[in-house]
């Protein structure tokens, strides 16, 4: 039934033209009513089908409900029909699956294009982000042998600060005081740890200790830091090479550029390669 309704909707709209979400919703509801006239369908099921079709056309298909669930912290798509989630620290396999491999790849391109990134056979690996700051990593086949994969790391929507970490027993009062003094004294700080250890959460919390009258420059591969209350803030994001293999902007390039921008502080979201040397040299320049 869902496929019939979807076909009915697609015959009525031209996605190449400008059309509002409200118009899409209206056409979907009309199609649902028309198809279900001769076959009873509970109201909640009609609403579910309406949402699923709308998400498929305008959102991120089956991922939308998972992204809106605040208890889910990680979404792992091993391939179009095998999806796992992390919820309250435990991994579960979901019953959800994309309609096809092609639909999954369409969603991948939709996400990647929003951040002006490119992923294809010649460049099969990319880091991107969603509008809410969630981190996205994509790896296409044939590098991923069983099919293209995508991993989405979600972040807490509320502002994370030291007090919240204290309530979670992640820090004690003595450590909070010590770290706050280090930040205010402009000491160079490294945050390291395993995957999912809370490195970004800790960095966001530390950033709330920065005096509000300073000039801050943040540098990231994919923007995910949440720095609040700083008026004089410049956020920089690295850029992959284009189809011709040119115009790449690396983190090391941004670190060098930031030193000419009169920063009080430079916050580098993550370093994994040669940019470590440039960051260490920047440290030495500030000693």
């Amino acid at each position: 039934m869902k496929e019939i309704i979807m076909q009915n909707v697609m015959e009525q709209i031209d996605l190449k033209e400008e059309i509002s979400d409200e118009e899409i919703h209206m056409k979907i509801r009309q199609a649902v009513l028309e198809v279900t006239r001769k076959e009873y369908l509970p109201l909640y099921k009609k609403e579910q089908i309406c949402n699923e079709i709308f998400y498929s056309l305008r959102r991120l298909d089956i991922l939308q409900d998972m992204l809106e669930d605040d208890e889910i912290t990680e979404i792992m798509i091993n391939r179009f029909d095998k999806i796992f989630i992390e919820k309250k620290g435990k991994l579960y396999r979901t019953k959800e699956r994309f309609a096809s491999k092609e639909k999954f790849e369409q969603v991948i391109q939709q996400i990647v294009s929003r951040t002006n990134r490119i992923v294809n056979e010649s460049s099969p690996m990319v880091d991107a982000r969603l509008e809410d700051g969630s981190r996205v990593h994509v790896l296409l086949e044939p590098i991923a042998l069983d099919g293209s994969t995508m991993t989405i790391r979600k972040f807490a929507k509320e502002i994370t600060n030291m007090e919240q970490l204290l309530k979670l027993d992640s820090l004690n009062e003595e450590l909070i005081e010590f770290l706050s003094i280090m930040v205010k004294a402009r000491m160079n700080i490294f945050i390291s740890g395993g995957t999912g250890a809370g490195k970004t959460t800790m960095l966001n919390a530390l950033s709330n200790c920065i005096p509000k009258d300073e000039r801050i420059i943040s540098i990231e591969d994919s923007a995910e830091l949440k720095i609040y209350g700083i008026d004089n803030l410049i956020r920089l994001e690295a850029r992959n090479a284009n189809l011709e293999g040119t115009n790449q902007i690396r983190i090391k390039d941004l670190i060098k550029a930031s030193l000419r921008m009169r920063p009080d502080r430079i916050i580098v979201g993550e370093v994994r390669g040669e940019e470590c040397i440039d960051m260490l040299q920047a440290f030495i320049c500030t000693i």
Side-chain angles (χ1 to χ4, degrees):
M1 180 181 293
K2 181 180 171 181
E3 286 74 18
I4 295 173
I5 295 171
M6 173 69 86
Q7 184 178 353
N8 188 313
V9 173
M10 295 302 294
E11 289 174 354
Q12 297 183 51
I13 63 176
D14 184 357
L15 293 177
K16 294 180 181 179
E17 296 182 358
E18 286 292 331
I19 182 169
S20 68
D21 287 352
E22 290 74 18
E23 291 177 283
I24 292 283
H25 267 302
M26 184 182 66
K27 291 186 181 297
I28 292 173
R29 292 183 184 281
Q30 289 174 346
V32 169
L33 289 174
E34 183 176 333
V35 172
T36 57
R37 276 176 185 168
K38 298 180 181 179
E39 183 177 347
Y40 171 74
L41 198 66
L43 184 60
Y44 81 91
K45 194 66 178 178
K46 292 180 182 179
E47 191 67 26
Q48 180 182 339
I49 290 176
C50 286
N51 288 335
E52 288 176 357
I53 294 176
F54 179 75
Y55 291 159
S56 179
L57 293 174
R58 278 293 172 92
R59 296 293 187 264
L60 297 178
D61 203 59
I62 60 171
L63 299 180
Q64 196 65 39
D65 283 335
M66 300 181 210
L67 291 169
E68 293 175 0
D69 186 340
D70 292 337
E71 291 187 344
I72 296 176
T73 53
E74 195 115 22
I75 304 170
M76 295 150 278
I77 304 108
N78 292 3
R79 64 184 191 193
F80 78 95
D81 58 351
K82 186 181 287 186
I83 302 175
F84 292 81
I85 60 171
E86 181 185 61
K87 198 169 188 177
K88 296 183 179 179
K90 293 185 178 181
L91 295 181
Y92 304 92
R93 181 172 179 177
T94 73
K95 296 180 180 179
E96 300 290 348
R97 53 174 289 167
F98 286 92
S100 65
K101 169 185 167 183
E102 290 72 26
K103 180 60 183 178
F104 176 39
E105 292 176 348
Q106 179 185 337
V107 170
I108 288 176
Q109 294 298 336
Q110 183 179 346
I111 291 173
V112 171
S113 64
R114 288 177 180 176
T115 53
N116 294 319
R117 303 289 173 103
I118 296 172
V119 63
N120 51 37
E121 288 185 6
S122 61
S123 182
M125 183 168 60
V126 70
D127 289 311
R129 57 181 165 78
L130 301 179
E131 292 177 359
D132 65 357
S134 298
R135 181 196 305 163
V136 180
H137 179 75
V138 174
L139 195 59
L140 299 184
E141 60 177 343
I143 302 300
L145 298 179
D146 296 326
S148 298
T149 73
M150 180 165 64
T151 307
I152 301 175
R153 166 72 60 81
K154 295 171 59 184
F155 296 103
K157 293 182 179 180
E158 69 273 9
I159 300 173
T160 303
N161 53 41
M162 293 295 197
E163 287 69 28
Q164 287 175 309
L165 294 180
L166 178 63
K167 291 178 182 177
L168 294 171
D169 290 328
S170 298
L171 298 174
N172 58 36
E173 291 183 359
E174 291 78 11
L175 191 51
I176 288 176
E177 183 179 0
F178 174 68
L179 290 171
S180 298
I181 292 171
M182 288 182 66
V183 172
K184 291 172 183 176
R186 298 190 185 181
M187 298 188 71
N188 296 321
I189 300 174
F190 275 109
I191 301 175
S192 64
T195 301
K199 299 184 294 296
T200 302
T201 298
M202 174 61 75
L203 182 51
N204 281 328
L206 287 174
S207 70
N208 279 281
C209 299
I210 297 173
K212 307 306 180 186
D213 59 348
E214 293 188 357
R215 178 173 172 80
I216 312 301
I217 298 177
S218 70
I219 299 171
E220 301 177 79
D221 191 18
S222 291
E224 60 191 33
L225 295 178
K226 297 179 180 178
I227 302 174
Y228 297 93
I230 303 292
D231 249 355
N232 200 347
L233 170 67
I234 297 177
R235 303 169 68 228
L236 305 178
E237 185 178 58
R239 184 177 69 190
N240 290 350
N242 58 24
L243 291 173
E244 289 76 34
T246 60
N247 295 333
Q248 180 183 19
I249 305 292
R250 301 166 297 177
I251 286 182
K252 64 177 296 182
D253 300 322
L254 296 176
I255 292 174
K256 289 179 179 179
S258 68
L259 293 172
R260 303 186 184 98
M261 300 168 71
R262 199 271 178 203
D264 287 315
R265 297 175 192 263
I266 301 172
I267 301 176
V268 183
E270 187 174 18
V271 290
R272 298 186 296 264
E274 59 183 351
E275 64 271 11
C276 291
I277 301 298
D278 298 278
M279 189 177 69
L280 289 172
Q281 288 176 338
F283 277 10
I284 293 171
C285 291
T286 60
I287 293 176

